[in-house]
Amino acid sequence: MMRNQNTFQALSGSEIFVLDNDGNLWFEQGPFGTAHARQLVDKPVWTFQALSTTEIVVLGDDHNLWLEHAPFGSVPPARQQIDTLVSQYQAITDTEIFVLGTDGNLWLEQGPFGVIPPPRKQVDTNVKAFEALSDNELLILDNDDRLWLASGPFGTVPPQRQEVEENVTAFQAISDTKIAVLTIDSSLWLEHTLTSLGHYLPSLYFAYNTGAAAAAPPTPAEAVSTDFNFALKTSSAGGA
């Protein structure tokens, strides 16, 4: 299993958290280019999310999730355990964090932390991955590869939700009305909401009436999702 993509997180031009290949997490400070100051934050670390230069969420290799505090340099630093058996997480603040358990249950957990489990509300179950847009709205990919836009209040499963797409392998929210989606056929799409109520339809293309009078000439179909594959291939060929 590859280490998560957040192998570093820059907070400024002179302050950066770095996760090395040995699972050591460092807080490094410039000026860079020669030997520079750094402090060991924790080890062994699987992933992390820095909230500031003095506060960081750390997932250990043992699936224990922690909220850790400066000063750094002694391992472990001052910290409170958020939860255990964690596979994915996203902190909104240092007192609100979405946590996906290894059992596929997704929770909105709230501080103060230090007691397992913390005060929490279940968001959904059968979850493969998620991306939070706020503490009240998030994208959820289930184990059937269906992507949903879910909204609070949470505590009832499933939550209020709209299906965005099916056969999804990866996604990234641009906003709650525009999402980049990669499907299992390796096509990359830009998905839009189709109505003023914000409803998504799972089909990749959709022709709809723009509201013109019935006697008016037919309106051309509008591609709601845009296929970027040609542009990507063209760009790659040009840079070869």
Side-chain angles (χ1 to χ4, degrees):
M1 182 176 180
M2 294 181 61
R3 194 167 295 279
N4 190 278
Q5 68 271 17
N6 64 336
T7 51
F8 65 91
Q9 184 179 343
L11 300 183
S12 71
S14 60
E15 295 170 311
I16 183 170
F17 286 93
V18 175
L19 179 60
D20 68 25
N21 290 329
D22 295 322
N24 298 313
L25 178 61
W26 302 88
F27 179 51
E28 308 201 12
Q29 297 173 287
F32 303 114
T34 58
H36 55 271
R38 69 176 186 172
Q39 299 169 316
L40 183 61
V41 177
D42 205 350
K43 65 177 183 179
V45 173
W46 188 252
T47 67
F48 70 94
Q49 179 188 348
L51 306 180
S52 69
T53 58
T54 61
E55 204 166 40
I56 185 168
V57 178
V58 172
L59 180 63
D61 282 4
D62 55 4
H63 296 287
N64 288 323
L65 186 65
W66 303 86
L67 178 63
E68 304 192 340
H69 311 274
F72 304 121
S74 298
V75 176
R79 62 184 186 176
Q80 296 88 41
Q81 189 166 2
I82 299 171
D83 210 341
T84 188
L85 298 178
V86 174
S87 66
Q88 186 184 340
Y89 60 92
Q90 184 178 343
I92 305 300
T93 67
D94 60 359
T95 59
E96 281 189 312
I97 182 167
F98 286 97
V99 173
L100 177 60
T102 55
D103 57 2
N105 289 322
L106 179 61
W107 304 86
L108 176 59
E109 303 193 339
Q110 297 172 303
F113 301 113
V115 177
I116 306 298
R120 62 185 185 176
K121 298 176 183 177
Q122 188 163 7
V123 178
D124 209 346
T125 189
N126 192 40
V127 175
K128 180 184 290 186
F130 73 93
E131 180 183 357
L133 308 179
S134 70
D135 62 356
N136 194 57
E137 198 169 38
L138 70 165
L139 290 168
I140 294 175
L141 180 65
D142 66 24
N143 285 312
D144 298 317
D145 299 323
R146 293 177 298 179
L147 183 63
W148 304 85
L149 178 64
S151 58
F154 302 117
T156 301
V157 175
Q160 300 179 50
R161 62 184 186 177
Q162 304 161 23
E163 188 171 3
V164 178
E165 188 57 270
E166 56 186 14
N167 298 320
V168 173
T169 59
F171 59 93
Q172 181 182 341
I174 300 169
S175 70
D176 59 357
T177 61
K178 192 177 293 185
I179 305 166
V181 175
L182 181 66
T183 51
I184 58 175
D185 61 358
S186 298
S187 294
L188 182 62
W189 305 87
L190 182 61
E191 307 267 355
H192 301 262
T193 53
L194 302 180
T195 74
S196 59
L197 298 177
H199 293 159
Y200 285 87
L201 291 185
S203 56
L204 291 177
Y205 285 100
F206 185 79
Y208 66 99
N209 192 322
T210 61
T219 303
E222 179 172 336
V224 177
S225 298
T226 306
D227 189 347
F228 289 104
N229 289 322
F230 178 76
L232 290 172
K233 291 177 182 177
T234 304
S235 175
S236 299

